[in-house]
């Protein structure tokens, strides 16, 4: 643990100013070889690795580190050329020094950001226009300087922590918001509108990411099932040995002979030879193109090696699935996306070979081959249409939502017991704050009441709320559009049906209203009155005792501090996985065999049954 704490307390240094280029001094992260830091691995999990090598390049030769002509990169673990911005200090070390209170604030801030941003092009709060980092830093300052948080502020400003410790904590906590900003603004490493992203997206991927818009995916699903079934039935009816099959007297030697050379007593020998030659050409095509394409597609779909933005988002989606943070619609989309882009494609090509070997017409044989290749990519063809996602705003919004979904600990937020364990809090205190509500933050009625409570708002939020209420009162359409956040669903027809349904339901239950939609997934967790009581009650460590223990060579009898292992060697409690490798070959091999042997599926089904999540058994 001493290794982790030293990095936190010494990693940031004040860069000397340069009168010409950098007139103001600034703090820059400077790590050393042997330091332990966390990086975002290819499966989109933060893990602890050791810095193996440091590279410095001074382009202008002035010897000033930190200016625009100086570049520092690191070899971390098995990754090379990692910049400062892609690393953060250890979570375990930071929790040892600061306690878990900042991580509780992080959950609160994620919900506040989701409340603020919207899907409304050209609006100041549209997710592409809104300054997520600026808003989050403002929330951090408000929380840090709140009078109820004086004890944490005292710890935060402690001279033993220093500026390096403070910056290490803030950098770590704000990483999810940096990632959302990169996705929303189209950072080069996270540009979801790039060509390689466009070519891989299908309608099932949209359903898997958004959980909305069922109609077209189900239409495509029906088409992709119906077309090969019709072709098989047509050829089946044509087979000269159909009657033998029905009688149970199939001459398999004749059937397999057709795989080598198509036979038919009705066709000329020359035509049969050409048909056999075309069948051979098709099989060679499948061998040299379709088989590698299918393997590569499988590799892309499993999403465990995030080299490009599509693979990174796939990895995020898998992490959400593993954590069971996804919604029912996303479950359906995830299963369809996985099955229709892996198992279905393999079966489809097998069917096509079956059809090819039973056809004597050379031209029809070629058309069948090309037709089924097209059928395999119908979902991508739909998603690539100009009208499907104009400007790719929906997939960009979905990617921002995936980050929110990955970092918001939904199971803990709706369970006082899990929250107490996760954030080392007293369960009785949590239940007292929530008035005995074991769901803790998830409460529709408290959320609705708090939404209108101006005492829980900042000055800016209070002004926006009053303007929205006035707009609704005066029924001013343009003001309502400007000040009232509209619910947006991917799939206008479904959204229209739901509005009519809830409109009719209001006659029976006046409190019934349509909830959810993009950037409205966590409405029931916006219980700000409970958050205000819980944000400032997390246990804080005694910094003097902590530093004394971990810097002392004599730690006999002391194994943990506030539940954090202080062993000298990296372990799982530090986000360290000794068996992990960033190798793409390793990822592919492991996932390929675990999927084909059904080990991954059986493991997920077993866990789902143990947790009484029966729907997860159906939707993987």
């Amino acid at each position: 643990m001493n290794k982790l704490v030293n990095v936190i307390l010494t990693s940031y240094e004040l860069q000397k100013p340069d009168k010409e280029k950098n007139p103001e001094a600034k703090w820059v992260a400077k790590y050393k070889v042997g330091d332990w830091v966390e990086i975002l691995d290819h499966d989109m999990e933060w893990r602890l690795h050791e810095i193996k090598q440091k590279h410095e390049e001074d382009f202008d030769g002035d010897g000033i580190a930190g200016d625009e002509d100086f570049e520092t990169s690191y070899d971390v673990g098995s990754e090379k050329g990692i910049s400062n911005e892609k690393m953060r200090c250890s979570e375990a070390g930071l929790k040892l020094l600061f306690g878990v209170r900042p991580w509780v604030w992080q959950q609160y801030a994620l919900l506040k950001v989701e409340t603020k941003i919207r899907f409304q092009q050209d609006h100041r709060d549209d997710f592409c226009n809104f300054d997520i980092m600026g808003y989050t830093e403002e929330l951090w300052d408000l929380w840090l300087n709140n009078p109820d948080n004086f004890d944490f502020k005292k710890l935060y400003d402690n001279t033993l922590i220093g500026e390096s410790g403070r910056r290490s904590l803030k950098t770590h906590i704000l990483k999810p918001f940096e990632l959302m900003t990169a996705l929303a603004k189209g950072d080069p490493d996270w540009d979801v509108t790039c060509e390689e992203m466009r070519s891989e997206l299908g309608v099932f991927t949209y359903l898997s990411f958004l959980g909305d818009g069922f109609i077209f995916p189900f239409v495509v699903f029906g088409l992709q099932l119906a077309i090969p079934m019709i072709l098989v039935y047509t050829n089946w009816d044509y087979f000269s040995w159909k009657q033998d099959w029905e009688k149970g007297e199939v001459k398999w030697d004749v059937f397999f002979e057709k795989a080598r050379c198509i036979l038919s007593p009705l066709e000329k020998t020359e035509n049969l030879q050409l048909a056999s030659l075309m069948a051979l050409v098709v099989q060679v095509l499948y061998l040299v193109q379709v088989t590698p394409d299918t393997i590569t597609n499988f590799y892309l779909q499993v999403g465990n090696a995030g080299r490009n933005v599509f693979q990174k988002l796939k990895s995020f989606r898998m992490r959400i699935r593993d954590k069971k943070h996804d919604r029912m619609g996303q479950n359906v989309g995830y299963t369809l996306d996985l099955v229709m882009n892996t198992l279905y494609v393999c079966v489809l090509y097998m069917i096509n070979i079956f059809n090819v070997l039973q056809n004597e017409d050379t031209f029809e044989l070629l058309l069948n081959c090309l037709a089924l290749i097209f059928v395999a990519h119908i979902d991508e063809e739909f998603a690539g249409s100009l009208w499907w996602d104009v400007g790719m705003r929906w997939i960009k919004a979905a990617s921002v939502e995936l980050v929110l979904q990955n970092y918001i600990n939904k199971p803990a937020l709706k369970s006082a017991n899990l929250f107490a364990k996760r954030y080392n809090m007293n369960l009785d205190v949590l239940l007292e704050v929530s008035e005995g509500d074991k769901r803790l933050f998830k409460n529709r009625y408290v959320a609705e009441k708090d939404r209108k409570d101006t005492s829980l708002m900042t000055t800016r939020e209070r002004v926006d709320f009053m303007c929205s209420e006035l707009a609704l009162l005066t029924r001013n359409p343009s003001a309502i559009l400007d000040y009232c956040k509209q619910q947006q669903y991917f799939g206008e027809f479904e959204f229209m049906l739901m509005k009519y349904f809830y409109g009719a339901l209001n006659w029976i239950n006046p409190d019934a209203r349509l909830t959810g939609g993009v950037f409205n997934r966590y409405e029931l967790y916006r219980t700000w009155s409970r958050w205000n009581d819980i944000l400032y009650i997390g246990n804080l460590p005694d910094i003097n005792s902590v530093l004394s223990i971990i810097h002392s060579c004599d730690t006999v009898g002391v194994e943990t501090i506030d539940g954090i292992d202080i062993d000298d060697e990296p372990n799982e409690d530090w986000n360290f996985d000794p068996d992990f490798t960033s190798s793409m070959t390793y990822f592919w091999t492991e996932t390929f065999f675990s999927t084909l042997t059904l080990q991954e599926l059986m493991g997920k089904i077993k866990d789902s049954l143990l947790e009484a999540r029966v729907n997860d058994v159906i939707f993987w």
Side-chain angles (χ1 to χ4, degrees):
M1 183 58 74
N2 193 21
K3 301 174 184 178
L4 306 185
V5 172
N6 283 338
V7 175
I8 294 169
L9 299 180
T10 62
S11 59
Y12 279 84
E13 296 181 6
L14 188 62
Q15 183 63 52
K16 294 180 179 180
D18 175 30
K19 294 181 179 179
E20 296 181 0
K21 295 184 177 179
N22 292 312
E24 296 182 1
K26 63 177 183 179
W27 289 87
V28 294
K30 296 182 67 176
Y31 300 103
K32 305 183 298 296
V33 174
D35 284 350
W36 288 84
V37 295
E38 291 183 354
I39 62 171
L40 193 60
D41 278 316
H42 294 316
D43 62 348
M44 297 297 104
E45 288 280 7
W46 288 94
R47 286 191 180 87
L48 190 69
H49 295 280
E50 184 180 8
I51 296 179
K52 303 293 186 182
Q53 194 169 354
K54 181 178 180 179
H55 307 280
E56 293 181 333
E57 190 167 358
D58 190 2
F59 295 104
D60 59 359
D62 62 359
I64 300 177
D67 67 11
E68 60 269 24
D69 296 316
F70 192 93
E71 185 177 292
T72 304
S73 62
Y74 304 86
D75 295 345
V76 186
S78 58
E79 289 297 297
K80 299 184 182 298
I82 302 294
S83 63
N84 289 331
E85 294 75 18
K86 296 181 180 180
M87 297 187 291
R88 69 182 194 183
C89 289
S90 162
E91 180 176 329
L94 289 167
K95 284 182 176 179
L96 190 66
L97 294 177
F98 293 97
V100 295
R101 199 179 292 185
W103 282 264
V104 176
W105 173 87
Q106 187 186 64
Q107 296 291 303
Y108 164 81
L110 289 167
L111 292 176
K112 291 291 286 186
V113 167
E114 196 228 21
T115 305
K116 186 66 176 176
I117 59 178
R118 60 173 73 182
F119 189 87
Q120 187 174 338
Q121 195 167 12
D122 298 327
H123 191 276
R124 61 185 175 277
D125 291 337
D126 179 76
F127 73 101
C128 288
N129 302 327
F130 187 70
D131 183 6
I132 295 176
M133 285 301 298
Y135 178 70
T136 308
E137 290 185 355
E138 180 183 337
L139 289 176
W140 172 266
D141 291 337
L142 288 172
W143 172 77
L144 183 63
N145 297 300
N146 191 297
D148 293 333
N149 205 24
F150 74 94
D151 51 348
F152 179 81
K153 183 67 163 60
K154 182 179 179 181
L155 170 64
Y156 186 77
D157 291 335
N158 194 298
T159 54
L160 294 175
I161 296 292
E163 186 64 25
S164 179
R166 289 188 281 273
R167 289 182 178 274
S168 297
L169 173 66
K170 190 173 179 181
T171 299
H172 182 106
I173 292 295
L174 295 183
K175 281 297 180 184
F177 307 98
E178 289 182 9
L179 183 51
M180 282 190 283
T181 300
L183 286 163
K185 303 298 183 184
D187 184 273
D189 291 337
W190 293 94
D191 185 10
V192 300
T193 64
C194 64
E195 189 58 37
E196 62 184 7
M197 182 77 175
R198 291 173 182 266
S199 62
E200 299 296 340
L201 286 172
V203 295
F204 302 124
T205 311
Y206 274 82
L207 182 59
S208 174
F209 285 7
L210 285 161
D212 304 328
F214 282 89
I215 293 178
F216 277 104
F218 282 167
V219 169
V220 171
F221 178 69
L223 289 174
Q224 288 187 307
L225 288 184
I227 293 174
M229 289 173 65
I230 292 172
L231 283 175
V232 168
Y233 179 80
T234 302
N235 282 334
W236 188 271
D237 189 54
Y238 177 80
F239 293 159
S240 60
W241 48 278
K242 177 185 176 183
Q243 293 180 352
D244 293 336
W245 175 273
E246 293 174 347
K247 294 177 183 178
E249 300 175 356
V250 178
K251 298 176 181 179
W252 289 107
D253 56 334
V254 176
F255 173 75
F256 284 109
E257 187 177 356
K258 288 187 176 185
R260 297 189 297 272
C261 181
I262 296 174
L263 299 176
S264 174
L266 304 177
E267 292 288 336
K268 295 179 180 180
T269 303
E270 183 181 355
N271 291 342
L272 289 176
Q273 290 175 342
L274 291 174
S276 297
L277 183 60
M278 181 59 74
L280 178 62
V281 169
V282 169
Q283 291 177 66
V284 171
L285 173 66
Y286 277 17
L287 181 64
V288 300
Q289 179 186 0
V290 174
T291 302
D293 283 350
T294 303
I295 294 174
T296 303
N297 188 51
F298 176 88
Y299 179 59
L300 291 173
Q301 294 301 322
V302 297
N304 255 347
R307 290 292 184 182
N308 60 44
V309 65
F310 178 76
Q311 292 171 335
K312 290 175 182 177
L313 292 178
K314 278 285 189 177
S315 295
F316 263 124
R317 183 63 188 88
M318 286 191 71
R319 300 291 76 75
I320 291 168
R321 180 73 192 104
D322 293 341
K323 295 174 184 176
K324 297 181 174 58
H325 288 186
D326 42 7
R327 303 180 297 276
M328 185 63 180
Q330 289 179 304
N331 277 339
V332 176
Y334 180 85
T335 302
L336 287 176
D337 193 29
L338 183 62
V339 172
M340 298 304 288
N341 284 289
T342 53
L343 176 64
Y344 170 79
V345 174
C346 295
V347 173
L348 185 67
Y349 288 138
M350 291 170 63
I351 291 173
N352 200 23
I353 292 176
F354 185 76
N355 289 336
V356 162
L357 296 178
Q358 307 306 320
N359 206 311
E360 293 84 7
D361 187 278
T362 307
F363 188 67
E364 185 178 346
L365 189 152
L366 180 60
L367 288 179
N368 282 346
C369 172
L370 296 176
L372 286 192
I373 291 177
F374 167 75
V375 170
H377 298 286
I378 287 180
D379 58 321
E380 285 88 1
E381 294 295 330
F382 262 84
S385 302
L386 294 176
W387 52 269
W388 177 258
D389 182 8
V390 180
M392 298 190 72
R393 279 178 51 79
W394 279 106
I395 197 63
K396 186 180 287 189
S399 64
V400 174
E401 278 203 316
L402 286 180
V403 177
L404 283 167
Q405 211 169 350
N406 184 61
Y407 287 103
I408 292 177
N409 195 336
K410 189 175 178 181
L413 297 188
K414 62 181 180 180
S415 169
N417 188 42
L418 289 178
F419 193 87
K421 291 179 180 178
R422 178 70 178 82
Y423 297 103
N424 193 27
M425 289 189 176
N426 188 299
L427 179 59
D428 294 332
V429 173
L430 292 177
L431 291 175
E432 181 181 351
V433 169
S434 62
E435 298 177 343
D437 187 357
K438 293 182 179 180
R439 295 178 301 172
L440 196 58
F441 295 112
K442 186 180 180 181
N443 190 298
R444 177 187 300 274
Y445 300 105
V446 175
E448 181 63 24
K449 178 175 68 69
D450 290 351
R451 185 180 69 85
K452 301 178 181 180
D453 190 346
T454 55
S455 66
L456 301 172
M457 304 177 188
T458 63
T459 303
R460 179 60 188 172
E461 290 171 343
R462 195 176 297 117
V463 170
D464 288 342
F465 172 74
M466 294 175 68
C467 289
S468 67
E469 291 293 298
L470 182 61
L472 293 171
L473 184 64
T474 58
R475 298 183 179 180
N476 186 327
S478 59
I480 291 174
L481 197 62
D482 190 36
Y483 288 104
C484 300
K485 184 176 178 179
Q486 306 297 310
Q487 288 175 312
Q488 300 285 354
Y489 286 84
F490 184 65
E492 291 295 326
F493 182 70
E494 296 165 46
F495 184 39
M496 181 179 64
L497 289 179
M498 285 191 290
K499 286 201 298 186
Y500 283 125
F501 171 76
Y502 276 92
L505 191 61
N506 276 329
W507 289 93
I508 303 173
N509 180 13
D511 293 329
R513 66 185 184 88
L514 179 62
T515 59
V518 65
F519 302 130
N520 271 314
R521 312 294 186 185
Y522 297 93
E523 282 186 289
L524 304 185
Y525 296 85
R526 298 171 186 171
T527 50
W528 308 127
S529 57
R530 293 181 180 180
W531 278 106
N532 278 4
D533 290 332
I534 293 175
L535 280 174
Y536 311 107
I537 63 174
N539 297 326
L540 298 178
D542 182 342
I543 188 62
N544 293 290
S545 299
V546 168
L547 292 179
S548 175
I549 292 173
I550 63 175
H551 287 160
S552 173
C553 295
D554 182 16
T555 58
V556 178
V558 181
E559 297 181 355
T560 62
I561 299 177
D562 291 334
I564 300 173
D565 192 342
I566 60 170
D567 192 2
D568 287 338
E569 295 302 321
N571 54 66
E572 292 183 0
D573 291 338
W574 296 9
N575 283 346
F576 177 71
D577 184 358
D579 299 323
F580 178 82
T581 173
S582 296
S583 168
M584 294 181 69
T585 304
Y586 170 81
F587 272 123
W588 187 91
T589 305
E590 181 190 45
T591 309
F592 184 82
F593 284 104
S594 65
T595 302
L596 289 184
T597 57
L598 303 180
Q599 292 180 15
E600 183 184 24
L601 177 60
M602 292 299 104
K604 288 181 177 179
I605 290 177
K606 179 182 177 181
D607 293 341
S608 298
L609 290 175
L610 291 175
E611 297 174 13
R613 294 171 60 94
V614 181
N615 61 319
D616 284 350
V617 177
I618 302 172
F619 303 111
W620 307 340

